[in-house]
Amino acid sequence: MIDQQLLERYADEGYVIVPALFPPGEVETIKAHFMRLHARKIGFHDDGITDEFDPLYRYPRMIHPHRYDALSRDWLLDPRLRAWTTALLGREPLAAQTMFYFKPPGARGQSLHQDQRSLEVRPGTCLAAWMAVDASDEDSGCMKIVPHSQDLEKLCIIDADRRKFFSGTTVELAEWMELRSLAMQPGDVLFFNGQVIHGSWPNTTEDRFRRAMIAHYIVGEAEKVAKFYQPLLTFDGEELEMGVSEHGGPCGVWVPATEAGGREELELVEPA
C-alpha cells in the first residue's frame, strides 16, 4: 500500500523513509547471503584502499552485484521497489545499479555528494533506494541528508578529509542548510532524489556493522546515462541500452547573497 503522506513528504523534502518495507526474515537472508559472498571474496570493488589494517580493506563494498548474483537482481526488481519508485517518480523507472556496503566497526564514512554527478541522467535524474540491513544510528555511521536539496544544480566538488571519509571529494553546504541524521531499522528503505546531498560519517562502534543494500534507478523518460550503468534493466528484466552521457560541464558554487539579510545563492561556473 502506497502512503500518500509519504509521497507528499518526498515531494517536499526530496527524500522519504518507508519503514519496514522488507520484513526481518528477508533482511536476515540478504545479510547472510552477502556475508557468504564476502567470505568467498566475490564481487569486491576496488576503492584504492591498500592499508591492510583499514576496515574497508577487509570489507570493501560491492558494486553491481545484480549482474552476477540472482538474489541481488531479484531485490533490484522487487515488486515493492517497483511500486514505490513508480509512485515517487510518476512513471516506472529503469534499474541502473545495485551496491552492498558492509561498513564494519571503525570504518570511515562516505563524504557528502549528489548521485546525479555519477549517473549523469539526461533528461531528468536518478532515484536511490537505500535499505538498512542493520540498525543504523549516529554511532554506527547512519545516513545524513540535506532536506530540500532536490532542486539544486550539480555542485562543484572539493577535496574531502580522507581521515574521515574513504571518498576523495565532497561538496560544500551553504550556511543555511540543515544536515539531518537518519536513524533506521533493518528493512526500512530510504528513497531520495539524485540531486539530494547526502553521505555518512564514520562507524565509531567497536562491534556493530552498518550494512546497507542500495539500488539506483533512472527516470523512465531519460535518453542518456553514464556508460558505467549500462545496460539498464526494466522491471520485467529486459536489458536495454540508451545514449551515453559524458561527465563534466558547469557546476554550482555558493556565493554571498545579493540582498542584505538574504542567504547564499548558487552560481554556475566551469570547473577549474
Side-chain angles (χ1 to χ4, degrees), residues 17-271:
I17 295 174
V18 179
L21 185 58
F22 288 82
E26 290 186 45
V27 179
E28 285 298 319
T29 295
I30 290 171
K31 180 193 299 185
H33 178 75
F34 277 93
M35 294 306 285
R36 286 193 295 270
L37 291 181
H38 172 269
R40 295 164 59 193
K41 295 181 168 53
I42 294 176
F44 289 170
H45 180 71
D46 182 9
D47 281 307
I49 299 170
T50 58
D51 180 0
E52 296 182 5
F53 295 99
D54 188 322
L56 294 176
Y57 179 88
R58 300 192 299 274
Y59 285 93
R61 56 183 176 159
M62 296 180 179
I63 307 293
H64 289 324
H66 70 282
R67 293 182 177 174
Y68 56 83
D69 176 58
L71 182 147
S72 300
R73 182 185 173 99
D74 289 347
W75 183 84
L76 173 68
L77 304 179
D78 188 273
R80 289 158 290 189
L81 294 176
R82 185 179 197 169
W84 271 99
T85 57
T86 301
L88 291 168
L89 295 174
R91 175 177 171 179
E92 188 167 287
L94 298 169
Q97 185 184 42
T98 48
M99 300 190 291
F100 192 88
Y101 283 49
F102 292 92
K103 199 164 191 181
R108 287 171 291 167
Q110 185 170 18
S111 57
L112 296 175
H113 62 283
Q114 297 166 294
D115 289 342
Q116 172 67 353
R117 169 172 287 278
S118 297
L119 280 87
E120 296 284 7
V121 181
R122 300 196 179 98
T125 190
C126 54
L127 173 71
W130 193 102
M131 184 182 76
V133 175
D134 300 293
S136 64
D137 53 32
E138 285 276 11
D139 291 340
S140 65
C142 64
M143 284 286 285
K144 293 178 181 284
I145 211 157
V146 177
H148 309 293
S149 57
Q150 68 269 28
D151 295 322
L152 291 178
E153 300 284 351
K154 183 171 62 178
L155 298 177
C156 295
I157 55 175
I158 59 173
D159 290 341
D161 183 352
R162 296 302 293 268
R163 297 167 299 179
K164 189 173 182 178
F165 305 109
F166 73 82
S167 39
T169 61
T170 189
V171 298
E172 289 189 293
L173 301 184
E175 291 185 1
W176 49 266
M177 285 180 160
E178 173 193 2
L179 184 59
R180 190 176 291 175
S181 296
L182 305 179
M184 296 173 63
Q185 292 299 313
D188 294 352
V189 177
L190 164 66
F191 294 96
F192 57 93
N193 177 287
Q195 314 296 124
V196 165
I197 302 170
H198 64 285
S200 68
W201 273 215
N203 180 348
T204 60
T205 71
E206 297 182 355
D207 58 359
R208 285 197 287 137
F209 280 75
R210 193 233 61 185
R211 285 161 285 218
M213 185 76 181
I214 304 154
H216 285 107
Y217 304 90
I218 70 171
V219 294
E221 60 270 26
E223 298 174 359
K224 293 183 178 182
V225 68
K227 183 177 181 180
F228 182 73
Y229 302 91
Q230 304 204 45
L232 304 163
L233 287 173
T234 69
F235 271 99
D236 292 325
E238 177 187 356
E239 287 192 2
L240 60 87
E241 299 204 23
M242 60 174 58
V244 176
S245 57
E246 301 295 331
H247 294 287
C251 56
V253 295
W254 296 108
V255 296
T258 55
E259 298 180 2
R263 63 186 193 178
E264 296 161 286
E265 300 171 354
L266 202 60
E267 179 179 296
L268 289 180
V269 301
E270 290 294 336

